Amino acid sequence: MADFVDVIFTIRRSEYIRAIRRYYKTKLNLWRDGAVSVFMFAVGIYLLQSVGIPFFAWLLIVLSVCLLALTLYSLLLLPQIIYRSQPKLKSEYRLRFREDAIRFQTDEIDSEVKWSFYHSWQRDQEFYLLYHGERDLSVIPRRALQRQDDDRLFELLKRRISKQIQ
């Protein structure tokens, strides 16, 4: 059995957008933001119509619309903007996961990354998401892995990056 896992893929635009949206859904807490936005809007309308505090009412309405707009922007538009602005995402990725490091190769990149570069990871039915930095992640589509390689990569990630996000 090999002591490494090779993965070769080109990430599709639709895959990358889905992966980033999943990341933002967990990071942004959309239910909370949506509920706060609706609540602020409702209180603003109530104050505008019944109490007669127009400045505060309009302030709440404007803030609720801004919060909703920012949430929708980050969920719907930002992933597409990120994909378009990153030429490396359109290249073929050749990754080799070893016990000591990860080898990254694309047309623009040829580097080796230590496991300590990543602070957490997540696996779902479609992707492995490896997190580094505050808002940065590497997306690896599981379709690029054969069954035995998928299992081996899962075990390697559990050993090398201790924090798994559920």
Side-chain angles (χ1 to χ4, degrees):
M1 179 155 109
D3 58 347
F4 57 86
V5 176
D6 281 333
V7 185
I8 300 172
F9 64 92
T10 301
I11 188 102
R12 299 177 189 130
R13 179 181 176 274
S14 60
E15 286 177 323
Y16 187 78
I17 289 170
R18 278 194 313 277
I20 295 300
R21 284 181 179 160
R22 286 182 191 160
Y23 166 70
Y24 283 149
K25 283 178 184 177
T26 60
K27 191 80 169 169
L28 294 178
N29 201 341
L30 297 174
W31 287 108
R32 181 203 61 209
D33 294 346
V36 168
S37 182
V38 168
F39 178 75
M40 286 174 34
F41 188 80
V43 170
I45 294 295
Y46 172 77
L47 291 176
L48 190 62
Q49 296 201 356
S50 61
V51 179
I53 310 174
F55 174 75
F56 188 63
W58 281 111
L59 180 64
L60 281 176
I61 291 169
V62 167
L63 288 175
S64 71
V65 169
C66 287
L67 177 60
L68 186 60
L70 281 173
T71 303
L72 291 174
Y73 168 77
S74 62
L75 190 62
L76 300 177
L77 296 176
L78 194 55
Q80 295 179 45
I81 292 169
I82 292 170
Y83 183 82
R84 264 187 274 148
S85 68
Q86 295 290 330
K88 68 180 181 180
L89 295 173
K90 297 163 187 81
S91 297
E92 180 182 77
Y93 277 74
R94 293 170 302 283
L95 308 178
R96 176 166 279 182
F97 293 89
R98 298 187 323 255
E99 195 65 42
D100 62 331
I102 305 167
R103 175 86 180 181
F104 279 87
Q105 290 181 297
T106 70
D107 294 340
E108 296 85 15
I109 300 168
D110 188 0
S111 67
E112 194 164 281
V113 176
K114 298 283 184 200
W115 284 104
S116 59
F117 180 69
Y118 293 102
H119 56 78
S120 58
W121 64 283
Q122 183 176 13
R123 178 176 87 161
D124 64 19
Q125 69 276 7
E126 247 187 310
F127 306 108
Y128 281 98
L129 304 175
L130 308 179
Y131 300 102
H132 57 94
E134 277 296 310
R135 292 175 289 261
D136 300 314
L137 67 149
S138 299
V139 177
I140 302 156
R142 289 180 68 189
R143 67 169 166 78
L145 292 155
Q146 295 181 10
R147 170 85 178 161
Q148 66 274 15
D149 288 338
D150 191 313
D151 294 339
R152 288 180 33 234
L153 180 57
F154 180 72
E155 292 302 320
L156 188 57
L157 290 171
K158 284 193 325 189
R159 279 194 314 275
R160 301 305 298 170
I161 307 173
S162 58
K163 185 177 178 188
Q164 180 183 3
I165 299 171
Q166 298 298 332

Coordinates of all heavy atoms in Angstrom, one line a residue, residues 54-125:
P54 N -39.9 58.6 13.7 CA -39.5 58.3 12.3 C -37.9 58.1 12.1 O -37.6 57.3 11.3 CB -39.9 59.5 11.5 CG -40.2 60.6 12.5 CD -40.5 60.0 13.8
F55 N -37.1 58.9 12.8 CA -35.7 58.8 12.6 C -35.2 57.4 13.0 O -34.5 56.7 12.2 CB -34.9 59.8 13.4 CG -33.4 59.6 13.3 CD1 -32.7 59.9 12.1 CD2 -32.7 59.0 14.3 CE1 -31.3 59.7 12.0 CE2 -31.3 58.8 14.2 CZ -30.6 59.1 13.1
F56 N -35.6 56.9 14.2 CA -35.2 55.6 14.7 C -35.8 54.5 13.9 O -35.1 53.5 13.6 CB -35.5 55.5 16.2 CG -35.0 54.2 16.8 CD1 -33.6 54.1 16.9 CD2 -35.8 53.2 17.3 CE1 -33.1 52.9 17.5 CE2 -35.3 52.1 17.8 CZ -33.9 51.9 18.0
A57 N -37.0 54.7 13.5 CA -37.7 53.7 12.6 C -37.0 53.5 11.3 O -36.8 52.4 10.9 CB -39.2 54.1 12.4
W58 N -36.7 54.6 10.6 CA -36.0 54.5 9.3 C -34.6 54.0 9.5 O -34.1 53.2 8.6 CB -36.0 55.9 8.6 CG -37.3 56.2 8.0 CD1 -38.2 57.1 8.3 CD2 -37.8 55.5 6.9 NE1 -39.3 57.1 7.5 CE2 -39.1 56.1 6.6 CE3 -37.4 54.4 6.1 CZ2 -39.9 55.7 5.5 CZ3 -38.2 54.0 5.0 CH2 -39.5 54.6 4.8
L59 N -34.0 54.3 10.6 CA -32.6 53.7 10.9 C -32.7 52.2 11.0 O -31.9 51.5 10.4 CB -32.0 54.3 12.1 CG -30.7 53.9 12.5 CD1 -29.6 54.3 11.5 CD2 -30.3 54.4 13.9
L60 N -33.7 51.7 11.7 CA -33.8 50.2 11.8 C -34.1 49.6 10.5 O -33.6 48.5 10.2 CB -34.9 49.9 12.8 CG -34.6 50.0 14.3 CD1 -35.8 49.7 15.2 CD2 -33.4 49.0 14.7
I61 N -35.0 50.2 9.7 CA -35.4 49.7 8.4 C -34.2 49.6 7.5 O -33.9 48.6 6.8 CB -36.5 50.5 7.8 CG1 -37.8 50.2 8.6 CG2 -36.7 50.1 6.3 CD1 -39.0 51.2 8.2
V62 N -33.4 50.7 7.4 CA -32.2 50.8 6.6 C -31.2 49.8 7.0 O -30.6 49.0 6.2 CB -31.6 52.2 6.5 CG1 -30.3 52.2 5.9 CG2 -32.6 53.1 5.8
L63 N -30.9 49.7 8.3 CA -30.0 48.7 8.8 C -30.4 47.3 8.5 O -29.6 46.4 8.2 CB -29.7 48.9 10.3 CG -28.9 50.1 10.7 CD1 -28.9 50.3 12.2 CD2 -27.6 50.1 10.1
S64 N -31.7 47.0 8.7 CA -32.1 45.6 8.4 C -32.0 45.3 6.9 O -31.6 44.1 6.6 CB -33.6 45.4 8.8 OG -34.5 46.1 8.0
V65 N -32.2 46.2 6.0 CA -32.1 46.0 4.6 C -30.6 45.8 4.3 O -30.2 44.9 3.5 CB -32.7 47.1 3.8 CG1 -32.3 47.0 2.3 CG2 -34.2 47.1 3.9
C66 N -29.7 46.6 4.9 CA -28.3 46.4 4.7 C -27.8 45.1 5.2 O -27.0 44.4 4.5 CB -27.5 47.6 5.4 SG -27.7 49.2 4.6
L67 N -28.2 44.6 6.3 CA -27.8 43.3 6.8 C -28.2 42.2 5.9 O -27.5 41.3 5.6 CB -28.4 43.1 8.2 CG -28.1 41.7 8.9 CD1 -26.6 41.5 9.0 CD2 -28.8 41.6 10.2
L68 N -29.5 42.3 5.4 CA -30.0 41.3 4.5 C -29.2 41.3 3.2 O -28.8 40.3 2.6 CB -31.5 41.5 4.3 CG -32.2 40.4 3.4 CD1 -32.1 39.1 4.1 CD2 -33.6 40.8 3.2
A69 N -28.9 42.5 2.7 CA -28.2 42.7 1.4 C -26.7 42.1 1.6 O -26.3 41.4 0.7 CB -28.1 44.1 1.0
L70 N -26.1 42.4 2.7 CA -24.7 41.8 2.9 C -24.7 40.3 3.0 O -23.9 39.7 2.4 CB -24.1 42.4 4.2 CG -23.6 43.8 4.1 CD1 -23.2 44.3 5.5 CD2 -22.4 43.9 3.2
T71 N -25.7 39.8 3.6 CA -25.9 38.3 3.7 C -26.1 37.7 2.4 O -25.4 36.7 2.0 CB -27.0 38.0 4.7 OG1 -26.8 38.6 6.0 CG2 -27.1 36.5 4.9
L72 N -27.0 38.3 1.6 CA -27.2 37.8 0.2 C -26.0 37.9 -0.7 O -25.7 37.0 -1.5 CB -28.5 38.4 -0.4 CG -29.8 38.1 0.3 CD1 -30.9 38.9 -0.3 CD2 -30.1 36.6 0.2
Y73 N -25.3 39.1 -0.6 CA -24.1 39.3 -1.4 C -23.1 38.2 -1.1 O -22.5 37.6 -2.0 CB -23.6 40.7 -1.0 CG -22.2 40.9 -1.6 CD1 -22.0 41.2 -2.9 CD2 -21.1 40.9 -0.7 CE1 -20.7 41.4 -3.4 CE2 -19.8 41.1 -1.2 CZ -19.6 41.3 -2.6 OH -18.3 41.5 -3.1
S74 N -22.8 38.0 0.2 CA -21.8 37.0 0.6 C -22.2 35.6 0.2 O -21.3 34.8 -0.1 CB -21.4 37.1 2.0 OG -22.5 36.8 2.8
L75 N -23.4 35.3 0.1 CA -23.9 33.9 -0.2 C -24.0 33.7 -1.7 O -23.7 32.7 -2.2 CB -25.2 33.6 0.5 CG -25.7 32.2 0.5 CD1 -24.7 31.3 1.2 CD2 -27.0 32.1 1.1
L76 N -24.5 34.7 -2.4 CA -24.9 34.6 -3.8 C -23.8 35.1 -4.8 O -23.5 34.4 -5.7 CB -26.2 35.2 -4.1 CG -27.4 34.7 -3.4 CD1 -28.6 35.5 -3.7 CD2 -27.6 33.3 -3.6
L77 N -23.2 36.3 -4.5 CA -22.3 36.9 -5.4 C -20.8 36.7 -5.1 O -20.0 36.5 -6.0 CB -22.6 38.4 -5.5 CG -24.0 38.8 -6.1 CD1 -24.1 40.3 -6.0 CD2 -24.1 38.3 -7.5
L78 N -20.5 36.8 -3.9 CA -19.1 36.7 -3.5 C -18.4 35.4 -4.0 O -17.2 35.5 -4.5 CB -18.9 36.9 -2.0 CG -17.5 37.2 -1.5 CD1 -16.9 38.4 -2.2 CD2 -17.5 37.4 0.0
P79 N -19.0 34.2 -3.8 CA -18.3 33.0 -4.3 C -18.0 33.1 -5.8 O -17.0 32.6 -6.3 CB -19.3 31.9 -4.0 CG -20.1 32.4 -2.9 CD -20.2 33.9 -3.1
Q80 N -18.9 33.7 -6.6 CA -18.7 33.8 -8.0 C -17.5 34.8 -8.3 O -16.7 34.5 -9.2 CB -19.9 34.3 -8.7 CG -21.1 33.2 -8.6 CD -22.3 33.7 -9.3 OE1 -22.3 34.2 -10.4 NE2 -23.4 33.5 -8.6
I81 N -17.5 35.9 -7.6 CA -16.4 36.9 -7.7 C -15.1 36.2 -7.4 O -14.1 36.4 -8.1 CB -16.7 38.1 -6.9 CG1 -17.9 38.8 -7.4 CG2 -15.5 39.0 -6.8 CD1 -18.5 39.9 -6.5
I82 N -15.0 35.5 -6.3 CA -13.8 34.8 -5.9 C -13.3 33.9 -7.0 O -12.1 33.9 -7.3 CB -14.0 34.1 -4.6 CG1 -14.2 35.1 -3.4 CG2 -12.7 33.2 -4.3 CD1 -14.6 34.4 -2.1
Y83 N -14.2 33.1 -7.5 CA -13.8 32.1 -8.6 C -13.3 32.8 -9.8 O -12.2 32.5 -10.3 CB -15.0 31.2 -9.0 CG -14.6 30.2 -10.0 CD1 -14.0 29.0 -9.6 CD2 -14.8 30.4 -11.3 CE1 -13.6 28.0 -10.5 CE2 -14.4 29.4 -12.3 CZ -13.8 28.3 -11.8 OH -13.4 27.3 -12.8
R84 N -13.9 33.9 -10.2 CA -13.5 34.6 -11.4 C -12.1 35.3 -11.2 O -11.3 35.5 -12.1 CB -14.5 35.7 -11.8 CG -15.4 35.2 -12.9 CD -16.3 36.3 -13.4 NE -17.5 36.3 -12.4 CZ -18.2 37.3 -12.1 NH1 -17.9 38.5 -12.6 NH2 -19.2 37.2 -11.3
S85 N -11.9 35.8 -10.0 CA -10.6 36.5 -9.7 C -9.4 35.6 -9.4 O -8.3 36.2 -9.2 CB -10.9 37.5 -8.5 OG -11.0 36.7 -7.3
Q86 N -9.6 34.3 -9.3 CA -8.5 33.4 -9.0 C -8.2 32.5 -10.2 O -8.8 31.5 -10.4 CB -8.9 32.6 -7.8 CG -9.0 33.3 -6.5 CD -7.7 33.8 -6.0 OE1 -6.7 33.3 -6.2 NE2 -7.8 35.0 -5.3
P87 N -7.2 32.9 -11.0 CA -6.9 32.1 -12.2 C -6.4 30.7 -11.8 O -6.6 29.7 -12.6 CB -5.8 32.8 -12.9 CG -5.5 34.1 -12.2 CD -6.4 34.1 -11.0
K88 N -5.8 30.5 -10.6 CA -5.3 29.2 -10.2 C -6.4 28.2 -10.1 O -6.2 27.0 -10.2 CB -4.5 29.3 -8.9 CG -5.4 29.6 -7.7 CD -4.6 29.7 -6.5 CE -5.5 30.0 -5.3 NZ -4.9 30.1 -4.1
L89 N -7.7 28.6 -9.8 CA -8.8 27.7 -9.7 C -9.2 27.0 -11.0 O -9.8 26.0 -11.0 CB -10.0 28.4 -9.1 CG -9.8 29.0 -7.7 CD1 -11.0 29.8 -7.2 CD2 -9.6 27.8 -6.7
K90 N -8.8 27.6 -12.1 CA -9.1 27.1 -13.4 C -8.1 26.1 -13.9 O -8.3 25.4 -14.9 CB -9.3 28.2 -14.4 CG -10.5 29.1 -14.0 CD -10.5 30.4 -14.7 CE -11.5 31.4 -14.2 NZ -11.2 32.1 -13.0
S91 N -7.0 25.9 -13.2 CA -5.9 25.0 -13.6 C -6.2 23.6 -13.0 O -7.0 23.4 -12.1 CB -4.6 25.5 -13.0 OG -4.3 26.7 -13.5
E92 N -5.5 22.6 -13.6 CA -5.5 21.3 -13.1 C -4.7 21.2 -11.8 O -3.5 21.7 -11.8 CB -5.0 20.3 -14.1 CG -5.0 18.9 -13.6 CD -4.4 17.9 -14.6 OE1 -3.2 17.9 -14.7 OE2 -5.2 17.2 -15.3
Y93 N -5.2 20.7 -10.8 CA -4.5 20.5 -9.5 C -4.0 19.1 -9.5 O -4.7 18.1 -9.8 CB -5.4 20.7 -8.4 CG -5.6 22.1 -7.9 CD1 -6.4 23.0 -8.7 CD2 -5.0 22.6 -6.8 CE1 -6.6 24.3 -8.3 CE2 -5.2 23.9 -6.4 CZ -6.0 24.8 -7.2 OH -6.2 26.1 -6.8
R94 N -2.7 18.9 -9.1 CA -2.1 17.7 -8.8 C -1.6 17.7 -7.4 O -0.6 18.4 -7.1 CB -0.9 17.4 -9.8 CG -1.4 17.2 -11.3 CD -0.3 17.2 -12.3 NE 0.5 18.4 -12.4 CZ 0.1 19.6 -12.9 NH1 -1.0 19.8 -13.4 NH2 1.0 20.6 -12.9
L95 N -2.2 17.0 -6.5 CA -1.9 17.0 -5.1 C -1.4 15.6 -4.7 O -1.9 14.6 -5.1 CB -3.1 17.4 -4.2 CG -3.9 18.6 -4.6 CD1 -5.1 18.8 -3.7 CD2 -3.0 19.8 -4.5
R96 N -0.4 15.7 -3.8 CA 0.1 14.4 -3.2 C 0.1 14.6 -1.7 O 0.9 15.4 -1.2 CB 1.5 14.1 -3.7 CG 2.0 12.8 -3.0 CD 3.2 12.3 -3.7 NE 2.7 11.4 -4.8 CZ 3.5 10.8 -5.6 NH1 4.8 10.8 -5.4 NH2 3.0 10.0 -6.6
F97 N -0.8 13.9 -1.0 CA -0.9 14.0 0.4 C 0.0 12.9 1.0 O -0.1 11.7 0.7 CB -2.3 13.7 0.9 CG -3.3 14.8 0.5 CD1 -3.9 14.7 -0.7 CD2 -3.5 15.9 1.3 CE1 -4.8 15.7 -1.1 CE2 -4.4 16.9 1.0 CZ -5.0 16.8 -0.2
R98 N 1.0 13.3 1.8 CA 2.0 12.4 2.4 C 1.9 12.6 3.9 O 1.3 13.5 4.4 CB 3.4 12.7 2.0 CG 3.6 12.5 0.5 CD 5.1 12.6 0.2 NE 5.8 13.6 0.9 CZ 6.2 14.8 0.5 NH1 5.9 15.2 -0.8 NH2 6.8 15.6 1.3
E99 N 2.5 11.7 4.7 CA 2.5 11.8 6.1 C 3.1 13.1 6.6 O 2.7 13.7 7.6 CB 3.2 10.6 6.7 CG 2.9 10.4 8.2 CD 1.4 10.1 8.5 OE1 0.8 9.3 7.8 OE2 0.9 10.6 9.5
D100 N 4.2 13.6 5.9 CA 4.9 14.8 6.4 C 4.5 16.1 5.7 O 4.7 17.1 6.3 CB 6.4 14.6 6.1 CG 6.7 14.4 4.7 OD1 5.9 13.9 3.9 OD2 7.9 14.7 4.3
A101 N 3.8 16.1 4.6 CA 3.5 17.3 3.9 C 2.5 17.0 2.8 O 2.2 15.9 2.4 CB 4.7 18.0 3.4
I102 N 2.1 18.1 2.1 CA 1.2 18.1 1.0 C 1.9 18.8 -0.2 O 2.4 19.9 0.0 CB -0.2 18.8 1.2 CG1 -0.8 18.2 2.5 CG2 -1.1 18.7 0.0 CD1 -2.0 19.1 3.0
R103 N 2.0 18.1 -1.3 CA 2.6 18.7 -2.5 C 1.5 19.2 -3.4 O 0.6 18.5 -3.8 CB 3.4 17.6 -3.2 CG 4.0 18.0 -4.5 CD 5.3 18.6 -4.3 NE 5.9 18.9 -5.5 CZ 7.0 19.5 -5.6 NH1 7.8 19.7 -4.6 NH2 7.5 19.8 -6.8
F104 N 1.6 20.5 -3.7 CA 0.6 21.2 -4.6 C 1.3 21.5 -5.9 O 2.4 22.1 -6.0 CB 0.2 22.5 -4.0 CG -0.9 22.4 -3.0 CD1 -0.5 22.2 -1.7 CD2 -2.2 22.6 -3.4 CE1 -1.5 22.2 -0.7 CE2 -3.2 22.5 -2.4 CZ -2.9 22.3 -1.1
Q105 N 0.7 21.1 -7.0 CA 1.2 21.5 -8.3 C 0.0 21.9 -9.2 O -1.0 21.2 -9.3 CB 1.9 20.3 -9.0 CG 3.2 20.0 -8.3 CD 3.9 18.8 -9.1 OE1 3.4 17.7 -9.1 NE2 5.1 19.1 -9.6
T106 N 0.2 23.1 -9.9 CA -0.7 23.5 -10.9 C 0.2 24.2 -12.0 O 1.4 24.1 -11.8 CB -1.8 24.6 -10.4 OG1 -1.1 25.8 -10.1 CG2 -2.5 24.1 -9.2
D107 N -0.4 24.8 -13.0 CA 0.4 25.5 -14.0 C 1.1 26.7 -13.4 O 2.2 27.0 -13.8 CB -0.5 26.0 -15.1 CG -1.1 24.8 -15.9 OD1 -0.6 23.7 -15.8 OD2 -2.1 25.1 -16.6
E108 N 0.5 27.3 -12.3 CA 1.1 28.4 -11.7 C 1.8 28.2 -10.4 O 2.6 29.0 -9.9 CB 0.0 29.5 -11.4 CG -0.6 30.1 -12.6 CD -1.8 29.2 -13.1 OE1 -2.3 28.3 -12.4 OE2 -2.2 29.4 -14.2
I109 N 1.6 27.0 -9.8 CA 2.1 26.7 -8.4 C 2.8 25.4 -8.4 O 2.4 24.4 -9.0 CB 0.9 26.6 -7.4 CG1 0.1 27.9 -7.4 CG2 1.4 26.2 -6.0 CD1 -1.3 27.7 -6.6
D110 N 3.9 25.4 -7.7 CA 4.7 24.2 -7.4 C 5.3 24.3 -6.0 O 6.3 25.0 -5.9 CB 5.8 23.9 -8.5 CG 6.4 22.6 -8.3 OD1 6.0 21.8 -7.4 OD2 7.3 22.3 -9.1
S111 N 4.6 23.8 -5.0 CA 5.0 24.0 -3.7 C 4.7 22.8 -2.8 O 3.9 22.0 -3.1 CB 4.4 25.3 -3.1 OG 3.0 25.1 -2.9
E112 N 5.3 22.8 -1.6 CA 5.0 21.8 -0.6 C 4.6 22.5 0.7 O 5.2 23.5 1.1 CB 6.3 21.0 -0.3 CG 6.0 19.7 0.4 CD 7.1 18.8 0.3 OE1 7.3 18.1 -0.7 OE2 7.9 18.7 1.3
V113 N 3.5 22.1 1.3 CA 2.9 22.7 2.4 C 3.0 21.7 3.6 O 2.6 20.6 3.5 CB 1.4 23.1 2.1 CG1 0.8 23.7 3.3 CG2 1.4 24.1 1.0
K114 N 3.4 22.2 4.7 CA 3.4 21.4 6.0 C 2.0 21.3 6.5 O 1.1 22.2 6.2 CB 4.3 22.1 7.0 CG 5.7 22.2 6.7 CD 6.4 20.9 6.8 CE 7.9 21.0 6.5 NZ 8.5 19.8 6.1
W115 N 1.7 20.2 7.2 CA 0.3 20.0 7.7 C -0.1 21.1 8.7 O -1.3 21.5 8.8 CB 0.2 18.7 8.4 CG 0.1 17.5 7.4 CD1 1.1 16.7 7.1 CD2 -1.0 17.1 6.6 NE1 0.7 15.8 6.1 CE2 -0.6 16.0 5.9 CE3 -2.3 17.6 6.5 CZ2 -1.5 15.4 5.0 CZ3 -3.2 17.0 5.7 CH2 -2.8 15.9 4.9
S116 N 0.9 21.7 9.4 CA 0.6 22.8 10.3 C 0.0 24.0 9.7 O -0.6 24.9 10.4 CB 1.8 23.1 11.1 OG 2.8 23.6 10.3
F117 N 0.1 24.1 8.4 CA -0.5 25.2 7.6 C -2.0 25.3 7.8 O -2.7 26.3 7.8 CB -0.1 25.1 6.1 CG -0.7 26.2 5.3 CD1 -0.2 27.5 5.3 CD2 -1.6 25.9 4.3 CE1 -0.7 28.5 4.5 CE2 -2.1 26.9 3.5 CZ -1.7 28.2 3.6
Y118 N -2.6 24.1 8.0 CA -4.1 24.0 8.1 C -4.4 23.8 9.6 O -3.8 23.1 10.3 CB -4.6 22.7 7.3 CG -4.4 22.9 5.8 CD1 -3.4 22.3 5.2 CD2 -5.3 23.7 5.1 CE1 -3.2 22.4 3.8 CE2 -5.2 23.8 3.7 CZ -4.1 23.2 3.1 OH -4.0 23.4 1.7
H119 N -5.5 24.5 10.0 CA -5.9 24.4 11.4 C -7.2 23.6 11.6 O -7.4 23.1 12.7 CB -6.2 25.8 12.0 CG -7.2 26.7 11.2 ND1 -8.6 26.5 11.3 CD2 -7.0 27.7 10.3 CE1 -9.2 27.4 10.6 NE2 -8.3 28.1 9.9
S120 N -8.0 23.3 10.5 CA -9.1 22.4 10.6 C -9.5 22.0 9.2 O -9.0 22.4 8.2 CB -10.3 23.2 11.3 OG -10.6 24.3 10.6
W121 N -10.5 21.0 9.2 CA -10.9 20.5 8.0 C -12.4 19.9 8.1 O -12.9 19.8 9.2 CB -10.0 19.4 7.5 CG -10.0 18.2 8.4 CD1 -9.3 18.0 9.6 CD2 -10.6 16.9 8.2 NE1 -9.5 16.8 10.1 CE2 -10.3 16.1 9.3 CE3 -11.4 16.4 7.2 CZ2 -10.8 14.8 9.4 CZ3 -11.9 15.1 7.3 CH2 -11.6 14.3 8.4
Q122 N -13.0 19.7 7.0 CA -14.4 19.2 7.0 C -14.5 18.3 5.8 O -13.9 18.5 4.7 CB -15.3 20.4 6.9 CG -16.7 20.1 6.9 CD -17.6 21.4 6.9 OE1 -17.1 22.5 6.6 NE2 -18.9 21.3 7.2
R123 N -15.4 17.3 5.9 CA -15.7 16.4 4.8 C -17.2 16.3 4.7 O -17.9 16.1 5.8 CB -15.1 15.0 5.0 CG -15.5 14.1 3.9 CD -14.8 12.8 4.0 NE -15.6 11.9 4.8 CZ -15.4 10.6 4.9 NH1 -14.5 10.0 4.1 NH2 -16.1 9.8 5.7
D124 N -17.8 16.5 3.5 CA -19.2 16.2 3.4 C -19.3 15.3 2.2 O -18.3 14.7 1.8 CB -20.0 17.5 3.2 CG -19.6 18.3 1.9 OD1 -19.0 17.7 1.0 OD2 -19.9 19.5 1.9
Q125 N -20.5 15.1 1.7 CA -20.7 14.1 0.6 C -20.0 14.5 -0.7 O -19.8 13.6 -1.6 CB -22.2 13.9 0.3 CG -22.9 15.1 -0.3 CD -23.4 16.1 0.7 OE1 -23.1 16.1 1.9 NE2 -24.1 17.1 0.2

